[in-house]
Amino acid sequence: MDVVVFGATGYLGSHAVEQLMIAGHKVKCVVRPQSDIDFLKSISADIHVVDFENSDLASVIEKGCCVLNCTADTRMHLSDLQRSKVEIDLTSHIFNVAAAAGAKRFIQLSTVMLYGFDRPDHAIDEQYPPNPKYSYSRIAARRERVLLDLAEASPMELIILRPSNTLGKRDTSALPAILPLLEKGGFPVIGGGEWRYSNADARDVGRAFAHLVDLTIVGSEIYLMKGYDISWLDLKAAIDNILGRKSRVFNLPRGLALVLGGVMEFVFPFGSSPPLTRFMAETLSSNTLFDDSKIRSTGFLPKYDLHETLIDALGEKSLH
């Protein structure tokens, strides 16, 4: 099936494009005029520059195709209204245009963060009810509800993918935040670093999208996806091994991190990038484990382990 990708220049969107092309799909990348398209050019992707606000999006969507939406405002410190402009308003618009153009399937990139932090320590699956606490999670959950409501009145199929935390090339959050302190011999953790979380190689997220394009479904489906479970200290040990040096743990107590995050949210205006928020503090100091048996039962299996993920993500910084 032909695939039209919105948000193709983003971190996970670019991996989706690459893996879709590797899987043999004809891929059309829809990007904004100001987007950095260097990577897409490097893999000879079919690029269509479109002004999302003022252009006819239907012109890039063909009848019977699959539309993959990876658009997102990834800034951590936004009001609900600011975040809704992309996550809900733009997403709803793309869905409606795709349905009117006769697209067969709509796949939405979502997030496990919509579950909030009131979760058990064991792995949860798609049936566990979301309980979002912060704006990032709250709007993600609302986006899914809006899409599910729209899909009920549309013949277009809907699949929502909730990937776990990810690492990979072109990441703009996790590794870039860690590497500066690593260069000075430190590794930052909150609350001791023994919290366990599900992680995935960004390439495997792209492979999951490629798998879902042709998967037979009935109605709307939601899938969790992960690669492996680790702790922050596991990540530290793996990076130390690859870089050939031992970093020192820099631990920030959880309570203090939450207080500092709250202060920074108050001091920094919406739209800016505070170095720490309460959402970030809870993300780094909570067990975040997921059961992705549902997507695995359809035949999808992740390919990459933590070591392979880091070798690829670190690139020239790795020794092996």
Side-chain angles (χ1 to χ4, degrees), residues 179-198:
L179 287 176
L181 189 56
L182 273 174
E183 294 294 334
K184 299 177 181 178
F187 185 89
V189 300
I190 294 177
E194 295 182 352
W195 309 97
R196 295 191 61 77
Y197 66 98
S198 297

Side-chain angles (χ1 to χ4, degrees), residues 47 65 67 72 77 84 89 110 112 114 117 127 142 146 169 199-200 217 220 225 233 237 243 248 250 281 298 309 311:
I47 303 170
C65 75
V67 172
H77 191 44
S84 295
D89 297 346
S110 189
V112 294
L114 58 78
F117 297 100
Q127 299 304 312
R142 191 180 303 169
V146 167
K169 284 183 177 177
N199 195 72
I217 65 168
S220 300
M225 177 265 159
L233 294 182
L243 298 182
R248 176 175 51 86
F250 178 76
T298 69
T309 297
I311 288 293

Side-chain angles (χ1 to χ4, degrees), residues 22-68:
I22 290 173
H25 293 284
K26 181 181 177 183
V27 183
K28 184 182 295 184
C29 303
V30 184
V31 304
R32 299 173 187 268
Q34 68 271 27
S35 297
D36 181 352
I37 59 175
D38 287 347
F39 172 73
L40 296 180
K41 285 183 176 179
S42 74
I43 60 173
S44 301
D46 180 17
I47 303 170
H48 295 255
V49 180
V50 174
D51 183 341
F52 286 12
E53 283 74 31
N54 300 312
S55 298
D56 179 13
L57 297 184
S59 63
V60 296
I61 301 173
E62 297 179 1
K63 185 176 181 179
C65 75
C66 173
V67 172
L68 169 56

Side-chain angles (χ1 to χ4, degrees), residues 90-100 106 147 150-151 154 156 158:
L90 178 59
T91 294
S92 299
H93 178 56
I94 295 173
F95 183 96
N96 288 327
V97 170
F106 190 93
L147 285 175
L150 289 173
S154 172
M156 186 169 61
L158 172 65

Side-chain angles (χ1 to χ4, degrees), residues 110-133 141 144-145 148 162 222-224 287-292 294:
S110 189
T111 172
V112 294
M113 290 297 115
L114 58 78
Y115 289 105
F117 297 100
D118 183 21
R119 299 183 305 260
D121 290 340
H122 61 76
I124 59 175
D125 63 14
E126 292 85 355
Q127 299 304 312
Y128 192 85
N131 185 23
K133 180 177 181 181
E144 286 197 8
R145 291 196 299 270
L148 290 167
R162 299 172 180 169
I222 298 174
Y223 294 97
L224 282 164
N287 289 315
T288 312
L289 298 171
F290 300 98
D291 177 354
D292 66 344
K294 182 178 177 181

Side-chain angles (χ1 to χ4, degrees), residues 6-7 10-11 32 34 52-53 69-91 108-109 111 135-137 139-140 143 172-173 270-273 279:
F6 288 83
Y11 168 42
R32 299 173 187 268
Q34 68 271 27
F52 286 12
E53 283 74 31
N69 183 39
C70 297
T71 59
D73 192 332
T74 58
R75 292 175 294 174
M76 286 294 100
H77 191 44
L78 295 173
S79 68
D80 282 12
L81 181 61
Q82 289 173 315
R83 196 175 300 282
S84 295
K85 290 180 180 179
V86 171
E87 312 300 326
I88 296 178
D89 297 346
L90 178 59
T91 294
Q108 175 65 44
L109 170 63
T111 172
S135 176
Y136 184 90
S137 305
I139 300 305
R143 175 181 57 195
T172 58
S173 57
F270 283 133
S272 61
S273 299
F279 172 80

